[in-house]
Amino acid sequence: MNILVINCGSSSLKYQLINSDTEQWIAKGLCERIGIDGSQIVYQKAGGDKEVTVSPMPDHTEAIRLVLEALTNDKTGAIGSLSEIDAVGHRVVHGGEKFSSSTVITPEVIEAIKECNDLAPLHNPANLIGIDACAKLMPGVPMVAVFDTAFHQTMPAEAYMYGLPYSYYEKYKIRRYGFHGTSHSFVSKKMAEDMGKKPEDLKLIICHLGNGASVSAVKNGKCVDTSMGLTPLEGLIMGTRSGDIDPAIMEFIAHKENKSIDEVMTLLNKKSGVYGLSGDLSSDFRDLEDAYNKGNEKAIIAVKTFSYRVAKYVGAYTAAMNGVDGIAFTAGVGENCGLVRKLVCEYLGYLGVKLDDAANSKRGEDTVISTPDSKVCVMFIPTNEELAIARETLALTK
Ligand code: AMP
């Protein structure tokens, strides 16, 4: 089967066409600046070069129309016609408490996703537009929603409740939801497979360290805690997001700088994290590592503070699970930045973690970076959210 995976952001759209038999992508790319001047589509067929075409995209429907046109293009298309697309898998950011697993999209499911819009006002409406556009352009093709929050729905109440009046949970469903669930699920399963064990027999900690970053505790194959909360702002220090801070800082900054709540939220989401900590140097760890190695003091603070926060969560989740068998690093920073992995592991000697420096300097496929006598297996494992979405879509539509 050919499965089209669609990941709609507020002004972007990533897509991949995956052959579910080989689990390889046939074509992939992204649409950028949707609804903004200068929109463009990037398209790449397997074995071919990237093609960039500037084309106006006033909305997501037009973006999806251009994606389908590129996929079926006479000269460079990966497929002959739309009838070769058997199903579509949509990444949906927030499934609230309604969705604890992926689901085939029906009119009722669309209504239920709309009811979660409040919880992800930037993302869910974009996801719904993508669903609507595909339904219009490919009528009759089955579609599946794969939720970022679903994997975390197994958390117990003590992990997802906040110390707030209970009525806010009842009235507004304010609680921890967690995000990056597709990645945490994919990587935890892959780690169990790589360790030659069943997920049910393992206590794993997954560190998804990308531009957005989160940690999860996965006990016996089920998520028991995760660092992102009601929104993706909580937890680790991220590229530009603050992660955990004293909530009173918000009022303090608002008064000192005469900022509105919206302005403070923008500051915490877009100007903080390692970007803010490094004195606005960069949110990209390639730049930060470079500056770190050159002795740039703020870059050193940013990288060290980021790594320390990850290590604190690993400690907390080891306590939550009463032990840990494996720790996996994934996503852009987790897969590529040996420096961060080393700094995190330096805090974990008390767990019997021993890092193999030579293995830690590698890149590429799943790699064990702990020594054979390390009490905990530590690995980096490339995540593949698109493949995970394609697998879920296949399982529900074949
Ligand atoms: P993601 O959100 O998973 O796509 O991760 C993107 C981030 O990964 C970038 O902003 C960088 O901070 C980081 N990254 C990507 N490649 C490298 C690399 N080779 N070395 C260090 N960090 C990297």
Side-chain angles (χ1 to χ4, degrees), residues 208-212 283-286 289 331-333 336-337 363:
H208 176 110
L209 312 179
N211 204 19
S283 62
D284 192 308
F285 272 77
R286 284 164 285 206
E289 190 173 352
V333 182
N336 296 300
C337 191
R363 288 268 170 85

Side-chain angles (χ1 to χ4, degrees), residues 100-102 146 150-152 181-206 216 218-223 326 328 330 366 379 381-384 387-389 391-392 395:
S100 54
S101 59
S102 307
V146 180
F151 181 63
H152 304 303
T182 314
S183 175
H184 286 289
S185 165
F186 178 86
V187 173
S188 59
K189 287 192 186 95
K190 198 82 194 302
M191 182 157 208
E193 198 182 302
D194 290 342
M195 289 172 77
K197 300 241 168 91
K198 291 194 197 124
E200 302 83 66
D201 298 332
L202 288 171
K203 295 169 181 173
L204 301 177
I205 296 176
I206 312 300
S216 68
V218 184
K219 189 178 181 185
N220 308 332
K222 293 200 161 63
C223 176
T330 192
D366 304 14
M379 297 184 70
I381 299 178
T383 191
N384 192 339
L387 177 58
I389 293 173
R391 284 180 181 166
E392 295 278 302

Side-chain angles (χ1 to χ4, degrees), residues 32-180:
E32 293 170 297
R33 300 179 64 86
I34 301 170
I36 310 171
D37 278 352
S39 359
Q40 62 176 32
I41 174 169
V42 181
Y43 171 80
Q44 186 179 17
K45 185 177 157 179
D49 292 331
K50 274 188 189 163
E51 294 166 24
V52 183
T53 313
V54 176
S55 183
M57 287 175 222
D59 53 32
H60 287 75
T61 310
E62 179 59 13
I64 289 182
R65 200 188 62 73
L66 288 168
V67 169
L68 299 179
E69 202 174 273
L71 289 172
T72 53
N73 181 283
D74 283 349
K75 289 198 192 94
T76 52
I79 50 175
S81 78
L82 289 186
S83 64
E84 289 175 49
I85 298 177
D86 300 294
V88 184
H90 290 271
R91 174 190 180 216
V92 179
V93 167
H94 220 306
E97 286 187 327
K98 287 182 202 302
F99 296 103
S100 54
S101 59
S102 307
T103 183
V104 173
I105 298 174
T106 61
E108 294 74 34
V109 166
I110 291 177
E111 282 314 304
I113 296 174
K114 272 187 199 155
E115 283 169 29
C116 303
N117 277 4
D118 247 11
L119 295 168
L122 289 181
H123 292 97
N124 270 26
N127 301 149
L128 283 164
I129 295 171
I131 290 170
D132 186 55
C134 285
K136 282 197 183 110
L137 297 165
M138 288 179 280
V141 176
M143 298 198 291
V144 168
V146 180
F147 299 92
D148 254 26
T149 48
F151 181 63
H152 304 303
Q153 276 296 304
T154 47
M155 281 187 287
E158 58 268 31
Y160 70 68
M161 289 302 289
Y162 289 116
L164 291 169
Y166 195 85
S167 57
Y168 291 135
Y169 170 62
E170 291 176 310
K171 274 198 283 189
Y172 309 121
K173 294 281 172 226
I174 294 178
R175 51 159 283 180
R176 174 183 312 287
Y177 290 97
F179 299 87
H180 296 139

